[in-house]
Amino acid sequence: DALYYWTRMLDLTDIQIDIRVLTSIGNCHRKLKTFDKGVYYFERALEMDPKNFYALFGLADCYRGMNQQYRSIEYWNKILELDPNNKVILTRIGDAYRNTGDYKSATDYYNRALNIDFDIYAALGLSLICKGEGKYEEAIKYLKEFDGKGDEAIEAGATCMIGDCYVNLKKYDEAISYFDKAIVAANGNGALIPRFIDKKATVFAAQKKDDKALECYETIKKDYPNYSASYNVDAYIALGVNDSNALFYNPMTGDITY
């Protein structure tokens, strides 16, 4: 509806176009993920004002959505030219470089953001890079900075990632402890909690604590039947926790190595 009315307004004022209308239409397309159309309107806005923050931000974000990371970096940097200490933009550039696999540049931008002030997404980006490079202790350091920061889903996800790192370090008891903390942090989120319980089950299986692994799977089946159906928990229970080949392959924990 918003897109319809903004477009109608543009039609009515086409003789004297208002840049706010163009950026508003661009933002509607950005949120609808029709990024190519968003690019068109943001570019029109920049023709009127090459330094307009909303047009630059929207255009960069559309290119990010289209996975044209270097184009997004180009426009994020135009904002930095106007506001070099904008930690949000520094973090966005870090994300873009991380998505291209240029971890060195990504790390530089994340650290620039953190040198200004704590930024939860910069810390998350650094932790993902460290985790991907097998630097699990360093990843844990960044992830522990999330304590009490961000919304429930972000904090729960970060806590779960600490558990993942401990699994890779083969510190299984610590991993279980953090998966339990993630469950608490999720505060009843039915999409996240069964995933965390699933991770616990896989760790218990690795420890040969078959009764606890089975208890986790049965909890998922009972309390989260939709997740159970999606990830074949019934099959795990039917095969039995002593079938290590069945237990170690898990689509939700494929990033964990044992």
Side-chain angles (χ1 to χ4, degrees), residues 46-63:
L46 287 174
E47 288 173 3
M48 299 178 66
D49 179 3
K51 295 183 179 182
N52 183 277
F53 173 87
Y54 300 103
L56 289 170
F57 186 97
L59 188 55
D61 203 47
C62 283
Y63 281 126

Side-chain angles (χ1 to χ4, degrees), residues 14-248:
D14 197 45
I15 296 175
Q16 187 175 356
I17 299 173
D18 189 328
I19 194 170
R20 292 172 298 177
V21 176
L22 292 170
T23 55
S24 295
I25 295 173
N27 275 322
C28 289
H29 282 297
R30 181 170 64 90
K31 291 175 182 177
L32 291 168
K33 301 187 186 303
T34 48
F35 297 120
D36 55 336
K37 294 180 180 178
V39 166
Y40 170 76
Y41 285 100
F42 289 128
E43 286 182 339
R44 285 185 64 183
L46 287 174
E47 288 173 3
M48 299 178 66
D49 179 3
K51 295 183 179 182
N52 183 277
F53 173 87
Y54 300 103
L56 289 170
F57 186 97
L59 188 55
D61 203 47
C62 283
Y63 281 126
R64 178 200 58 79
M66 296 164 72
N67 200 31
Q68 296 184 29
Q69 303 296 340
Y70 288 109
R71 293 302 303 276
S72 72
I73 291 169
E74 176 186 348
Y75 286 97
W76 295 131
N77 271 316
K78 289 181 183 294
I79 296 176
L80 279 188
E81 290 172 8
L82 304 171
D83 184 7
N85 291 322
N86 189 318
K87 67 174 185 175
V88 172
I89 302 304
L90 289 166
T91 298
R92 291 279 185 141
I93 296 175
D95 289 341
Y97 275 120
R98 179 168 56 84
N99 290 332
T100 69
D102 184 350
Y103 296 147
K104 182 180 184 303
S105 295
T107 298
D108 288 344
Y109 277 93
Y110 287 140
N111 282 325
R112 283 176 62 184
L114 290 171
N115 285 338
I116 294 168
D117 194 7
F118 179 79
D119 184 280
I120 195 167
Y121 297 105
L124 177 60
L126 285 170
S127 66
L128 287 168
I129 289 172
C130 292
K131 184 170 179 281
E133 293 180 337
K135 300 174 182 177
Y136 301 115
E137 295 284 6
E138 194 172 347
I140 289 168
K141 180 190 75 172
Y142 289 117
L143 289 164
K144 284 186 175 180
E145 294 182 18
F146 280 65
D147 188 29
K149 303 180 179 74
D151 62 24
E152 290 172 352
I154 292 174
E155 185 169 351
T159 305
C160 177
M161 281 179 63
I162 295 175
D164 290 342
C165 290
Y166 278 126
V167 170
N168 283 284
L169 291 167
K170 297 186 177 2
K171 296 181 177 181
Y172 293 151
D173 290 340
E174 288 92 333
I176 291 293
S177 172
Y178 274 92
F179 291 145
D180 282 334
K181 290 178 181 179
I183 290 168
V184 173
N187 195 26
N189 187 313
L192 295 177
I193 290 175
R195 177 187 174 189
F196 301 153
I197 298 173
D198 198 350
K199 286 176 178 282
K200 282 182 60 178
T202 307
V203 175
F204 281 136
Q207 293 179 301
K208 306 301 181 185
K209 296 180 179 179
D210 299 339
D211 55 336
K212 291 187 177 181
L214 186 60
E215 182 182 338
C216 288
Y217 289 127
E218 288 176 338
T219 297
I220 293 172
K221 180 180 178 181
K222 174 178 176 290
D223 296 339
Y224 305 97
N226 292 333
Y227 182 97
S228 175
S230 299
Y231 295 101
N232 300 314
V233 171
D234 283 341
Y236 284 122
I237 295 172
L239 286 167
V241 293
N242 290 316
D243 187 340
S244 61
N245 289 327
L247 282 169
F248 286 178

